[in-house]
Amino acid sequence: MRNVSIAAFALTAALVALQLVGLTMLERSHAYANPSVPLGPALCTESAEVPVPQIPYD
């Protein structure tokens, strides 16, 4: 029974360590949006109309 308890404790400690390493890597990564980019709505300055070619009918 004591071996199971030690194994459970070691597994829990390893999982906590992996979680902390993962969180540290995420914090250091560029997973977050660039703060220099404005978060407001995008404004479209060009026309949205697309020319549609006419299909000749027989």
Side-chain angles (χ1 to χ4, degrees):
M1 185 70 178
R2 182 155 171 85
N3 288 340
V4 174
S5 178
I6 292 172
F9 179 75
L11 180 61
T12 302
L15 290 175
V16 169
L18 285 174
Q19 181 72 27
L20 291 175
V21 168
L23 288 173
T24 303
M25 290 176 63
L26 179 65
E27 186 175 321
R28 290 183 180 183
S29 73
H30 297 287
Y32 300 104
N34 189 355
S36 65
V37 175
L39 298 177
L43 299 175
C44 184
T45 58
E46 295 185 18
S47 174
E49 292 183 28
V50 177
V52 180
Q54 294 293 327
I55 300 173
Y57 293 102
D58 288 339

